[in-house]
Amino acid sequence: MKRGLVLEGGGMRGMFTAGVIDVMMEQGIEYDGAVGVSAGAVFGCNYKSRQIGRAIRYNLRFCNDPRYCSIRSLMKTGDLFGVDFCYRQIPNELDPFDVETYRNNPMDFYVVTTDVLTGQPIYRLCPNGDENDLTWFRASASMPLAANLVEAEGRWMLDGGIVDALPLKFAEGKYDRNVVVLTQPIDYIKKKNKALPLIRNRMKDYPKVVAAMARRHEAYNREVAYIRYRERAGKVLVIRPEAPLDLSRTERDPAKLQRAYDHGRAVAEKRMAALKEFLNPGGTPNENEN
């Protein structure tokens, strides 16, 4: 039986996810594969590199550093999150990403991006944690209006959440038992993007991705409905916030980031017995689990 993990994005709401996956790692929970979208990709990759606490650590350290995230960076470079700082200086120097452990961990790690020419999702296996994989992580988290298009392997891409924010169906094609970590509470309903006129203007050369953005709220709500259907049927286990997370997608208040992280930890700890039973129905726990 293969076990999969699906990680939603949501910008800094991903601190909730960071708390959840840190508890899972502390408990020795292992998966055959994970699929991360946007923040779920850039924070979730720490699961494969087995770096407990890394996501909350560097976010608290750099959340108010203009090199990390700032309007100045957006105006100067077109990227709200500084590309060189976030994808070179932090992982290579300031809070090193453990590339060797990532590469040697047999867990698959997929990221989802949006092809801006076709308006279709790309599901990219990132096995090495090298510079090329980090480019795919960045593409997955490159929000429209807040980032430039990202090129990798001849594809031009943006945030994977545009077309497949909750890729459970993709995971179900590969894994038998899937856990989904959401960053919105159970009653959340996505509304139409108010910035759509700006997106149409800026992305006028990419009509298919503009069309996908116009439908994004509908697609997201359908995916949520599917997840809840599979959850009620006992086919998927969902971990979600118990209430709306009080922080923005680009939150820079360290206290709010810490609270979201702590809430993720608390929910994961509360659900741990159910999680272990779901992943090992009627059996003995994984030998690595506590």
Side-chain angles (χ1 to χ4, degrees):
M1 181 183 69
K2 290 190 174 183
R3 310 194 295 187
L5 178 64
V6 178
L7 303 173
E8 183 182 8
M12 287 306 170
R13 293 199 312 272
M15 287 296 94
F16 173 84
T17 301
V20 171
I21 66 176
D22 279 356
V23 170
M24 288 182 182
M25 285 191 283
E26 290 166 359
Q27 289 288 320
I29 304 291
E30 294 187 355
Y31 294 91
D32 295 282
V35 188
V37 184
S38 196
V42 295
F43 299 153
C45 62
N46 293 293
Y47 209 122
K48 185 169 168 62
S49 66
R50 305 183 192 275
Q51 289 179 278
I52 297 170
R54 180 173 179 267
I56 184 64
R57 183 175 61 240
Y58 75 72
N59 275 282
L60 291 179
R61 181 180 175 187
F62 299 118
C63 62
N64 284 303
D65 191 319
R67 297 173 297 172
Y68 184 60
C69 176
S70 65
I71 296 299
R72 185 180 75 184
S73 175
L74 179 63
M75 297 298 292
K76 185 177 180 179
T77 69
D79 288 292
L80 184 66
F81 288 86
V83 172
D84 182 72
F85 190 73
C86 293
Y87 295 97
R88 187 187 66 79
Q89 294 185 53
I90 290 178
N92 293 341
E93 303 166 11
L94 300 174
D95 199 323
F97 183 60
D98 190 341
V99 175
E100 182 177 0
T101 297
Y102 181 99
R103 183 180 298 120
N104 291 331
N105 186 340
M107 181 182 81
D108 296 333
F109 192 76
Y110 289 88
V111 302
V112 185
T113 69
T114 298
D115 186 313
V116 298
L117 295 177
T118 66
Q120 295 298 311
I122 302 171
Y123 305 95
R124 174 56 155 75
L125 179 64
C126 295
N128 300 315
D130 57 11
E131 183 177 351
N132 187 53
D133 281 355
L134 262 65
T135 299
W136 282 89
F137 296 170
R138 175 165 66 92
S140 183
S142 291
M143 300 178 287
L145 303 182
N148 291 304
L149 303 184
V150 179
E151 188 276 331
E153 300 173 18
R155 313 291 288 271
W156 289 93
M157 298 169 289
L158 281 173
D159 195 310
I162 296 171
V163 288
D164 197 356
L166 305 170
L168 174 58
K169 289 183 179 180
F170 172 80
E172 287 180 328
K174 294 183 173 295
Y175 311 110
D176 305 296
R177 286 196 166 259
N178 290 284
V179 174
V180 179
V181 180
L182 302 179
T183 60
Q184 296 284 13
I186 193 168
D187 58 351
Y188 175 75
I189 299 174
K190 183 176 282 295
K191 304 292 179 58
K192 190 172 184 178
N193 192 331
K194 294 180 180 179
L196 196 56
L198 291 175
I199 291 170
R200 286 195 175 104
N201 181 61
R202 179 167 176 179
M203 304 293 294
K204 59 182 180 294
D205 293 332
Y206 307 99
K208 291 186 178 179
V209 81
V210 171
M213 284 295 299
R215 301 188 301 265
R216 185 183 183 193
H217 61 297
E218 298 171 350
Y220 181 91
N221 293 332
R222 284 196 300 269
E223 289 186 316
V224 168
Y226 178 73
I227 288 171
R228 292 184 66 180
Y229 164 72
R230 297 294 282 169
E231 182 182 23
R232 288 192 297 268
K235 302 299 184 181
V236 62
L237 186 136
V238 181
I239 298 177
R240 54 170 68 85
E242 295 178 342
L245 299 173
D246 180 28
L247 74 174
S248 72
R249 294 175 66 90
T250 58
E251 187 62 60
R252 300 177 69 182
D253 183 339
K256 289 186 176 183
L257 297 178
Q258 185 70 58
R259 281 198 297 270
Y261 173 82
D262 291 342
H263 184 49
R265 290 191 60 92
V267 173
E269 289 166 355
K270 185 184 297 186
R271 300 296 309 280
M272 188 52 61
L275 174 64
K276 289 183 177 182
E277 173 59 28
F278 175 77
L279 292 174
N280 301 280
T284 58
N286 184 290
E287 62 179 5
N288 292 314
E289 295 171 9
N290 296 329

